[in-house]
Amino acid sequence: AGGLALDARRALFAYLVAFVYWIGIALGALILLGAFHASSARWPVVLRRFVETVPQSLPVFVLLFVPIALGMRHLFPWVDPHGLEGEMAHAVHHKTPWLNPTFFVVRAAVYFAFWIAVAHLLRAWSVRQDQAGGVTLTRRQRRLGAGSLPFLALTLTFAAFDWMMSLDPRFFSTIFGVYWFAGSFMAAFAVVIIAATATRDDPTAFGHHMSLEHFHSLGKFLLAFTAFWAYVAFSQFMLIWIANVPEEVPWYILRIEGGWRWVAAFLALFHFLVPFFLLLSRDLKRSPRALSLVAGWLLLVHWV
């Protein structure tokens, strides 16, 4: 409230960063759950209940989205295009059918409705299965988990375009949604690892029932998606930079010159190189405490 009173625009930008960070983790967990069902994987059964629980936070994000909807004129230049000039005005004009306040809110409602419905059904059927047994509910979960994945990918991608990429209507990237997914999916694994390590001594918690093989598998996923994030981030940069199209390169010029250069170098070093080589260690992946330290660090650099 104090930030909004002093500088509403900066406060809302900080709020938006926090919003997309945390909702990305919840969506990463939902996609992970769908992947478990699609692959009929057996090894993650012990941690599946926790993965089912994380996306149950999505209804809270509906309320948390309200300040963004109410303050969108401070965030997005396309909300009030009358004061825009030159290239920005040209870009906004051609995107008006998509980038307008009414359609923006309607799309957000569709995203939330779909995400919440999938998360609710997968958990509800799982809880009922524990009581009723049988295979009917298992089949429903597998069908919904696998069938929802393409639509989860599409809605997450368009949410990334709406909530982040449209902050600068002059920026064009067809894989920006994949970039957000890569970091959020990696962060979801990091959250599972930290929660499992923190609950190892509690007989009623899922972490108590996880073996070193489970941690080893989670560590391999963390390694894989640390590399995948770097691959997507570099691919997005390389394709824009090598094409050298005047409409596209200014977005990256701003991010590799001046003070932002050090942020870019920090991410290359500590979001990829250091954790990548640390996670190559088999011993580290089989040490819950050491693995959770790396996971905690990756959550920090993911926010950066």
Side-chain angles (χ1 to χ4, degrees):
L4 287 172
L6 294 172
D7 190 336
R9 186 170 183 271
R10 292 184 67 182
L12 282 167
F13 274 125
Y15 184 89
L16 180 63
V17 169
F19 179 84
V20 297
Y21 177 89
W22 290 109
I23 197 174
I25 293 175
L27 293 173
L30 182 57
I31 293 172
L32 177 59
L33 180 60
F36 285 161
H37 286 303
S39 61
S40 301
R42 296 181 180 180
W43 71 268
V45 169
V46 67
L47 55 93
R48 194 177 71 191
R49 182 69 79 233
F50 177 78
V51 177
E52 290 170 346
T53 301
V54 174
Q56 301 309 306
S57 63
L58 286 168
V60 177
F61 286 100
V62 176
L63 296 176
L64 294 176
F65 184 76
V66 172
I68 296 172
L70 294 177
M72 67 172 75
R73 64 185 180 87
H74 295 289
L75 292 168
F76 306 103
W78 46 263
V79 173
D80 184 14
H82 300 296
L84 302 178
E85 297 179 353
E87 184 183 346
M88 179 70 81
H90 179 74
V92 169
H93 174 72
H94 285 280
K95 297 180 180 182
T96 298
W98 182 268
L99 294 179
N100 61 80
T102 302
F103 197 23
F104 176 83
V105 174
V106 169
R107 289 196 303 273
V110 172
Y111 305 153
F112 280 117
F114 179 71
W115 297 336
I116 292 170
V118 173
H120 171 74
L121 288 174
L122 287 178
R123 178 173 169 79
W125 289 342
S126 180
V127 172
R128 282 172 53 193
Q129 184 189 39
D130 288 348
Q131 301 168 351
V135 297
T136 301
L137 292 170
T138 298
R139 289 172 180 166
R140 288 184 185 177
Q141 291 174 77
R142 289 179 179 174
R143 288 169 182 167
L144 179 60
S148 65
L149 284 175
F151 301 99
L152 287 172
L154 285 172
T155 51
L156 184 144
T157 296
F158 282 108
F161 292 165
D162 287 350
W163 301 343
M164 289 177 281
M165 202 164 79
S166 75
L167 291 168
D168 186 349
R170 296 167 297 182
F171 178 50
F172 301 87
S173 172
T174 55
I175 63 170
F176 188 78
V178 183
Y179 175 76
W180 185 36
F181 158 76
S184 298
F185 202 57
M186 179 206 68
F189 279 109
V191 167
V192 174
I193 290 167
I194 292 170
T197 303
T199 58
R200 291 200 80 200
D201 296 331
D202 183 357
T204 64
F206 80 103
H208 184 76
H209 305 284
M210 287 182 57
S211 67
L212 293 183
E213 296 298 332
H214 287 103
F215 282 98
H216 193 186
S217 296
L218 289 172
K220 288 188 283 187
F221 274 113
L222 197 63
L223 169 64
F225 282 93
T226 297
F228 181 67
W229 172 87
Y231 167 75
V232 174
F234 179 73
S235 296
Q236 181 176 256
F237 165 76
M238 180 193 68
L239 292 173
I240 290 175
W241 193 256
I242 201 168
N244 200 27
V245 178
E247 291 82 4
E248 297 177 354
V249 292
W251 194 85
Y252 271 111
I253 291 174
L254 289 173
R255 285 158 179 80
I256 58 174
E257 292 185 355
W260 290 109
R261 176 185 300 173
W262 301 108
V263 178
F266 175 88
L267 290 176
L269 185 61
F270 293 110
H271 200 323
F272 171 58
L273 286 173
V274 171
F276 176 81
F277 285 105
L278 286 175
L279 289 168
L280 288 176
S281 168
R282 184 176 187 272
D283 292 337
L284 184 145
K285 291 195 289 286
R286 296 179 70 86
S287 170
R289 187 174 297 276
L291 184 61
S292 65
L293 288 174
V294 176
W297 174 254
L298 283 171
L299 284 178
L300 175 63
V301 294
H302 175 52
W303 176 83
V304 174

